[in-house]
Amino acid sequence: TIPTGSRLKTNGAIFANNAIASGRALTVYGNVDVDKLNLHIRGAENVSGIKICGSNVKIDKLSCVASQESQYGVFIQSLDSSQLSNIEIGEIAIKKFSSAMPIFNVTGAIISNISIEQYVTGVYLRDVSHSYFDRAKIKGTSPKSSGSAGNNGLLIESTLATGSTNNLHFIGWDVRDAGEHAYRLGGQLSINDIWFTNCRADKTGNAANNQATGGSGFKVLGATSVKGQWHRNIYFDNCHVVDVNTNARGQGNFAGFLISNVCNIHITNCSVVPNDYNYSCWHAYSFESVEDVFLSNNISSRARQHAIRFVASTYAAHPGWE
């Protein structure tokens, strides 16, 4: 445990725990300042790494590494589910955790230089607002990845209120080998005001044996679990998708950009292209139930079906979304 109010200089020491059989290895409370925090564990299915459960936490450099795949790597959430604020991590490396970095109900986070290897879900943001995530490299499909919903490099959702996830900036992200979509926004309540700049998705829908149920580069998912929810103000600038799987199930779910139930969507200077695959995707830019779409200076190369696709989708449970 690193208790409230700690000022810790480790000089690069490694905290090792090879004995823990369940639960988490390290808990960090609030008002903490650490130069370098390195945790190495043997790990197991029910073992997790670090829980940051207080506000005003600053860690210059953090690493959390397991020798065998474990549960979560670095989890940022209060103990009573109240909102945390002011979390700053200058560099973070996480390896061999199924859920690498869940962040729940946090505002004012600045997390940079993220490195994640061997993941099912990379970064999972739930009810996060007014935060910046600058530079990330996420790669290496976990053997445990089934290719089902949530097997994403970046997963973003609102669960507490309409628009509880809002004002997020992602700059210089590179997500590879996602079991399902590389970047997925939505699934419950609406998400608003999201910016992606200089981001890349590579080899999506990468779960073993072509069992992925989706594999889009960037998917803004219509919040079909809650009636009447629309996402608003989503921006992509200089974002690129390479090699979407076109051999798994669900053709329409393997697009470069798959956008549904969104008002005000901007896609500028983006591309969907093949590299190692014969086709770049099924559909390069696919839109379902959208309003106010701005497309400028984009590239589509060797889409298996459509370069640009608009569909007036209807959902039996939610009439009027067409």
Side-chain angles (χ1 to χ4, degrees):
T1 297
I2 300 178
T4 301
S6 297
R7 299 292 181 267
L8 180 63
K9 290 191 179 297
T10 69
N11 296 310
I14 294 174
F15 295 90
N17 190 322
N18 293 320
I20 185 170
S22 64
R24 62 177 175 264
L26 180 62
T27 302
V28 180
Y29 289 89
N31 299 308
V32 164
D33 192 324
V34 184
D35 62 344
K36 297 178 182 179
L37 185 58
N38 300 316
L39 175 67
H40 288 192
I41 63 175
R42 182 173 60 193
E45 185 174 356
N46 295 320
V47 172
S48 296
I50 300 171
K51 179 76 174 282
I52 297 174
C53 56
S55 295
N56 305 314
V57 172
K58 183 177 184 296
I59 301 173
D60 293 338
K61 187 174 182 179
L62 184 155
S63 70
C64 185
V65 176
S67 57
Q68 58 190 43
E69 189 156 344
S70 302
Q71 192 174 21
Y72 68 74
V74 178
F75 194 169
I76 304 175
Q77 183 191 36
S78 68
L79 296 178
D80 60 3
S81 297
S82 60
Q83 189 176 66
L84 298 181
S85 62
N86 193 24
I87 307 294
E88 183 176 348
I89 303 174
E91 183 176 343
I92 181 167
I94 302 170
K95 187 173 183 180
K96 286 194 176 179
F97 289 90
S98 295
S99 182
M101 189 164 62
I103 303 175
F104 293 175
N105 200 11
V106 172
T107 189
I110 301 175
I111 301 177
S112 306
N113 301 300
I114 300 165
S115 173
I116 293 172
E117 294 186 45
Q118 191 171 315
Y119 68 98
V120 176
T121 303
V123 178
Y124 180 13
L125 305 180
R126 202 167 78 186
D127 309 303
V128 175
S129 62
H130 303 286
S131 296
Y132 285 79
F133 301 88
D134 188 7
R135 294 183 301 278
K137 183 67 174 288
I138 301 174
K139 65 179 183 178
T141 313
S142 165
K144 295 183 178 180
S145 177
S146 64
S148 59
N151 291 190
N152 313 119
L154 173 65
L155 170 59
I156 307 175
E157 292 185 309
S158 292
T159 66
L160 296 176
T162 295
S164 58
T165 289
N166 67 85
N167 284 289
L168 303 180
H169 293 259
F170 302 91
I171 305 151
W173 279 50
D174 186 349
V175 175
R176 299 168 185 257
D177 315 318
E180 195 205 27
H181 312 296
Y183 304 80
R184 191 191 110 184
L185 286 67
Q188 299 192 50
L189 300 170
S190 69
I191 294 167
N192 304 324
D193 306 310
I194 310 294
W195 286 264
F196 291 92
T197 306
N198 302 332
C199 294
R200 175 184 170 107
D202 201 327
K203 284 188 168 59
T204 58
N206 197 55
N209 303 316
N210 275 335
Q211 61 184 331
T213 57
S216 296
F218 296 88
K219 179 167 183 177
V220 184
L221 172 65
T224 52
S225 64
V226 182
K227 185 176 181 178
Q229 293 291 305
W230 279 70
H231 307 304
R232 296 183 182 274
N233 310 329
I234 313 294
Y235 300 84
F236 299 95
D237 187 11
N238 196 37
C239 292
H240 305 284
V241 180
V242 181
D243 287 342
V244 173
N245 187 358
T246 62
N247 294 315
R249 294 173 291 163
Q251 297 178 10
N253 215 16
F254 290 81
F257 292 78
L258 179 53
I259 313 296
S260 57
N261 292 3
V262 180
C263 179
N264 193 29
I265 176 84
H266 293 248
I267 302 178
T268 306
N269 302 320
C270 295
S271 71
V272 182
V273 299
N275 185 25
D276 297 328
Y277 295 172
N278 289 328
Y279 299 97
S280 60
C281 57
W282 276 102
H283 316 291
Y285 305 91
S286 184
F287 303 92
E288 301 177 355
S289 303
V290 291
E291 294 181 357
D292 302 331
V293 179
F294 300 86
L295 304 177
S296 179
N297 200 38
N298 302 302
I299 294 171
S300 165
S301 177
R302 290 190 60 79
R304 193 162 179 173
Q305 285 192 357
H306 301 106
I308 302 175
R309 173 180 180 261
F310 287 95
V311 180
S313 295
T314 59
Y315 300 90
H318 307 304
W321 279 13
E322 67 278 10

